[in-house]
Amino acid sequence: MMDNSAVFWSRALTELTLTFHIIFATLGVGVPLIILIAQYVGYKKNDEHYTLLARRVARGFTITVAVGVVTGTIIGLQLSLLWPQFMELAGQTIALPLFMETFAFFFEAIFLGIYLYTWDRFKNPKYHMLLLIPVAIGAFMSAIFITIVNAFMNAPRGFDLVGGEIINIQPILAMFTPAMPTKVGHVLTSSFMTVAFTLAAIAAYKLLKGENHIYHKKSLNLMMKLGLVFSIATAVVGDFSAKYLAEYQPEKLAAAEWHFETEAGADLIFFGILDGDEVKYEIRMPKVLSFLISNNFNTEVTGLNDFPEDERPPLITHYYFNIMVAIGSLMIFLALGYVVGKWRGWQWIASRWFRWLIVLGGPLSFVAIETGWWLAEQGRQPWILYGIMRTEQGATTATGVEWLFIAFAVVYLILGIGSVVVLRRMFKNNPVSKELALRKGGEH
């Protein structure tokens, strides 16, 4: 008999760690590209404000990278301690991307160190800017390789399972699963989107607080444009993700959409509450679910009741999906309103209420990231390795996991508060006006 308490606390601790780590992982993936874009714009326009934006973001990035390394290491440790049966079964199959992820991180870290310590050391700033390319590549590859592992858990292949033993292992085939393209695409685009809106939120907040410096206006303008591009890209990849679920994990789609009965012309349901299998107080879009999965309004969609009860994902994933989609849609319209308003000269985009919406968009983007991951992970239940190993089969049977949960919760609280305090002091002690004055003084 499995220790249900150990399974519960193993799941809780893993979710806690991933929930905390994904904040820093998102920054780790998205920030290098944003720095590269800002420094490129500064170089092309010979504009010190964009170059300073790259410099300041890079400085803060070092803190988030350090915390991300700590939490990423903890995840690797917890996989071995909390999910030993899973690691024994799958580790030998999917070890290659785990190794490559480590290599990609060190590749990124080496060039990031060189980049940070060579500011103002090149006569031609273009060469310093080019150092960001391997940093960004390392960040992308690190995200791709670790996401490949997650994709494998959702669509395992590249081996034969005979009598509980894995044989005929093909590591390359295990990396390129049907789930890989959409998962990798969604991770990358959503990370870029979130970082852009977070930096836009910071710029808008500074303007609201009376720091009416041109630096913040330029930062806001650039980040909202990038936010629009990447939010639309995230929505497009999300559409492909829905089509993937309909073909490969229909029960996950049905649970997320509260679609219980198989029918053609299925409606898309937003929010609402459940009364048995009946949905009440929902926002219903007729036949849109069918269109979402096939571009045909009359396509038949498999209902959740067609699956065994013990293979149905938790219905709370419906709310995760709704929150993620609602925030993503809001950010598209917010960014579109800003970009069009800037182009047309509309004054309301500089109003306090609109800038407060932009400020709100930063944390909301992280909420969308979190709910998206909860949807991905809880939506795979009851499987840790889809169709092969159930979660309770992969968990540890050790006792005392609840004490580990408490200990790591305290560690994450300290890391979180410490990161905020350090970043706040870093930028409070070096305001934009002071940095610009020092740089101009150094030039003379």
Side-chain angles (χ1 to χ4, degrees):
M1 291 289 292
M2 280 287 177
D3 184 347
N4 290 326
S5 176
V7 174
F8 171 81
W9 286 109
S10 293
R11 289 186 63 189
L13 178 52
T14 303
E15 183 168 3
L16 175 68
T17 301
L18 287 172
T19 297
F20 186 71
H21 174 70
I22 199 64
I23 297 171
F24 298 93
T26 298
L27 295 172
V29 174
V31 168
L33 178 63
I34 300 300
I35 298 174
L36 175 59
I37 292 173
Q39 193 162 344
Y40 175 77
V41 173
Y43 170 73
K44 292 296 289 184
K45 293 186 174 184
N46 194 26
D47 191 318
E48 63 182 353
H49 296 113
Y50 292 108
T51 303
L52 181 60
L53 174 62
R55 190 168 191 152
R56 287 171 66 85
V57 174
R59 192 181 304 140
F61 183 52
T62 58
I63 306 301
T64 62
V65 166
V67 179
V69 170
V70 173
T71 54
T73 304
I74 290 172
I75 288 175
L77 175 66
Q78 289 181 358
L79 276 175
S80 299
L81 291 178
L82 303 179
W83 308 102
Q85 283 76 28
F86 164 72
M87 290 300 290
E88 182 180 355
L89 181 66
Q92 55 190 313
T93 307
I94 206 66
L96 179 59
L98 286 171
F99 168 77
M100 294 301 294
E101 191 272 338
T102 303
F103 174 80
F105 169 75
F106 281 116
F107 180 81
E108 174 193 0
I110 289 168
F111 281 96
L112 177 61
I114 297 171
Y115 172 80
L116 291 171
Y117 285 103
T118 53
W119 275 100
D120 304 322
R121 302 267 180 118
F122 291 94
K123 291 184 178 179
N124 188 338
K126 177 178 70 173
Y127 298 116
H128 180 255
M129 179 187 67
L130 291 176
L131 287 171
L132 280 169
I133 294 176
V135 175
I137 291 174
F140 301 164
M141 297 311 297
S142 182
I144 288 170
F145 286 128
I146 203 64
T147 306
I148 282 173
V149 177
N150 185 268
F152 172 80
M153 295 168 71
N154 284 273
R157 69 174 187 176
F159 62 91
D160 293 323
L161 190 62
V162 179
E165 297 290 330
I166 288 183
I167 61 173
N168 300 329
I169 297 173
Q170 303 177 64
I172 301 300
L173 187 62
M175 291 174 60
F176 295 94
T177 65
M180 189 271 284
T182 54
K183 280 199 168 290
V184 167
H186 206 61
V187 165
L188 293 178
T189 55
S190 62
S191 296
F192 303 148
M193 178 198 84
T194 300
V195 171
F197 284 128
T198 298
L199 294 174
I202 293 171
Y205 181 78
K206 290 292 186 180
L207 291 169
L208 283 166
K209 289 302 177 180
E211 296 185 29
N212 204 33
H213 200 289
I214 187 64
Y215 166 90
H216 299 303
K217 294 179 180 179
K218 289 180 178 179
S219 174
L220 177 62
N221 189 48
L222 176 62
M223 293 307 147
M224 290 301 284
K225 289 178 180 178
L226 293 176
L228 177 61
V229 172
F230 292 131
S231 58
I232 292 174
T234 301
V236 171
V237 177
D239 177 66
F240 286 113
S241 298
K243 291 174 171 57
Y244 163 81
L245 290 179
E247 182 174 355
Y248 293 97
Q249 291 179 283
E251 70 277 31
K252 183 175 181 178
L253 178 69
E257 298 290 353
W258 280 0
H259 179 67
F260 296 100
E261 300 297 334
T262 299
E263 62 178 347
D267 298 343
L268 184 66
I269 295 172
F270 279 104
F271 296 103
I273 61 172
L274 278 177
D275 183 3
D277 282 358
E278 184 182 356
V279 184
K280 297 181 177 180
Y281 313 116
E282 78 280 12
I283 301 171
R284 189 176 292 267
M285 302 176 69
K287 297 189 176 184
V288 172
L289 179 57
S290 290
F291 182 81
L292 189 67
I293 68 170
S294 67
N295 298 328
N296 185 327
F297 286 105
N298 296 311
T299 297
E300 183 177 87
V301 183
T302 306
L304 191 61
N305 290 338
D306 284 7
F307 299 95
E309 284 192 30
D310 65 344
E311 294 184 8
R312 298 176 189 175
L315 296 178
I316 195 174
T317 54
H318 173 72
Y319 292 117
Y320 300 154
F321 174 77
N322 288 170
I323 292 170
M324 178 183 67
V325 170
I327 292 175
S329 301
L330 171 65
M331 299 315 297
I332 289 175
F333 286 115
L334 190 66
L336 184 62
Y338 177 89
V339 171
V340 174
K342 191 74 175 176
W343 171 53
R344 300 289 294 177
W346 295 338
Q347 295 301 310
W348 56 264
I349 64 168
S351 64
R352 290 186 64 84
W353 68 267
F354 189 75
R355 282 180 175 169
W356 275 116
L357 282 178
I358 296 174
V359 171
L360 188 62
L364 280 179
S365 296
F366 275 103
V367 171
I369 288 284
E370 296 287 8
T371 52
W373 271 105
W374 296 342
L375 169 64
E377 297 306 289
Q378 292 188 26
R380 191 181 61 246
Q381 300 305 314
W383 306 101
I384 189 171
L385 197 58
Y386 183 73
I388 294 176
M389 176 181 282
R390 290 178 176 268
T391 301
E392 63 268 18
Q393 294 173 322
T396 181
T397 56
T399 57
V401 181
E402 62 271 25
W403 297 109
L404 282 176
F405 179 90
I406 295 171
F408 278 108
V410 172
V411 169
Y412 300 148
L413 182 63
I414 293 171
L415 285 173
I417 294 174
S419 300
V420 172
V421 170
V422 171
L423 287 169
R424 187 172 180 273
R425 288 185 177 179
M426 177 184 291
F427 293 108
K428 186 178 181 180
N429 294 335
N430 293 280
V432 170
S433 55
K434 178 182 177 181
E435 285 206 52
L436 284 171
L438 287 173
R439 288 182 62 77
K440 287 180 179 180
E443 289 171 3
H444 296 298

